[in-house]
Amino acid sequence: MIIAANFKSNLTLQKIKNYFSVLDSFVNGNDDVYVFPPFFAMQEKAKNFHIGVQNAYCEFNGAFSGEITLESLNDFGIKNILIGHSERRNIFGENQELCARKFDFFAQNNFSIFYCIGESLETRKKGKSAIEDFLSSQFDRIDVDYEKLIVAYEPVWAIGTGVSAKIEEIEETHNFLRTLTKRPLLYGGSVQLQNISDILKIKNVDGALIGSASLDVENFKKMIEVARGKK
Ligand code: PEP
């Protein structure tokens, strides 16, 4: 099971230093844990879990004010990235063409790519074939066989709302996604200590991407503990 934490724009450097030190002594070699803190924490190190960046631009360096690029990621030894998170797509207007360009660039540079997809509530309400068409469109120009691809299915209406998708909805969608790629499929969207066990039991769910519930290290540790029972 892959367990990943997305801190988004939360916590401070000191809080993250403390968090990492607690987490690093808890995680062991059998766990597969990734943490995506804000960029200011990229210089922090961990022995037992992977650190990744939540976003970066697809160039080595240059005139891209406000963006992080490959040269600085190399400097910190970062090789994991989130691409296509719904907050990037919906708040910052990243379209499929840009997501695909980022994907190609970071795949060429051998990154593990957590590629996020997920439909809106409007699409969900239209039913199965609308959902499948929409999710398929989020794979346009994406190499679904890339060996370091990890897909995170995160329905937009379940992110940060405290209302996760239902077990049957996750199962049906992951079964569909399994027809598109053989790579690991994570579920994300209001995964909490109370529901992670049931979610990780679902067929074709290979792990979870966790936002709000990962911000407290003790809570995140308990979620990793649950995942240990599901190998
Ligand atoms: C996310 O944004 O990746 C996420 C899963 O958030 P939350 O767990 O808070 O819904």
Side-chain angles (χ1 to χ4, degrees):
M1 288 287 162
I2 299 170
I3 300 296
N6 176 11
F7 290 176
K8 311 188 185 191
S9 303
N10 292 299
L11 305 180
T12 61
L13 184 56
Q14 192 53 52
K15 286 179 182 166
I16 292 172
K17 280 176 189 283
N18 297 343
Y19 188 115
F20 278 15
S21 116
V22 173
L23 187 64
D24 211 21
S25 35
F26 173 76
V27 172
N28 65 52
N30 295 319
D31 298 320
D32 204 0
V33 174
Y34 290 76
V35 179
F36 295 87
F39 186 74
F40 60 73
M42 282 303 120
Q43 65 180 12
E44 297 307 307
K45 300 284 174 229
K47 285 200 191 71
N48 298 316
F49 63 90
H50 309 277
I51 299 171
V53 70
Q54 296 169 18
N55 172 48
Y57 190 58
C58 41
E59 290 287 346
F60 183 69
N61 60 17
F64 308 105
S65 300
E67 291 292 316
I68 307 304
T69 53
L70 182 62
E71 186 176 30
S72 48
L73 297 178
N74 286 346
D75 200 23
F76 295 126
I78 297 294
K79 293 302 275 182
N80 309 294
I81 186 168
L82 290 182
I83 294 178
H85 191 280
S86 70
E87 286 149 18
R88 299 297 320 166
R89 292 183 195 257
N90 299 332
I91 302 175
F92 300 103
E94 290 193 9
N95 60 18
Q96 186 57 28
E97 196 269 332
L98 179 56
C99 291
R101 270 202 289 135
K102 288 185 173 189
F103 189 98
D104 285 348
F105 180 82
F106 287 102
Q108 274 163 25
N109 285 285
N110 208 30
F111 275 59
S112 291
I113 299 177
F114 286 64
Y115 183 67
C116 305
I117 56 167
E119 81 286 352
S120 65
L121 189 55
E122 199 190 342
T123 304
R124 170 66 41 186
K125 283 182 177 158
K126 287 185 186 152
K128 192 169 186 294
S129 75
I131 297 166
E132 293 182 358
D133 287 350
F134 181 80
L135 294 177
S136 301
S137 77
Q138 292 193 312
F139 283 107
D140 274 358
R141 283 203 41 210
I142 299 297
D143 176 4
V144 292
D145 297 320
Y146 175 54
E147 60 175 2
K148 292 188 173 172
L149 164 65
I150 292 149
V151 173
Y153 168 59
E154 303 202 296
V156 177
W157 45 275
I159 295 182
T161 58
V163 183
S164 159
K166 294 194 189 84
I167 299 295
E168 312 79 64
E169 292 171 324
I170 301 173
E171 184 165 8
E172 183 173 65
T173 309
H174 277 237
N175 287 345
F176 168 69
L177 294 173
R178 179 53 73 227
T179 67
L180 304 182
T181 180
K182 295 189 168 53
R183 303 298 308 147
L185 300 173
L186 312 188
Y187 169 77
S190 297
V191 178
Q192 286 150 357
L193 187 54
Q194 295 73 13
N195 60 15
I196 188 167
S197 176
D198 290 338
I199 289 171
L200 295 183
K201 273 185 212 150
I202 302 171
K203 191 174 157 223
N204 290 321
V205 170
D206 305 304
L209 177 54
I210 304 161
S212 350
S214 71
L215 293 176
D216 178 307
V217 69
E218 292 306 322
N219 199 53
F220 191 53
K221 276 166 54 182
K222 287 183 193 146
M223 296 172 97
I224 293 169
E225 227 158 28
V226 173
R228 282 178 183 161
K230 312 278 178 206
K231 288 225 158 65

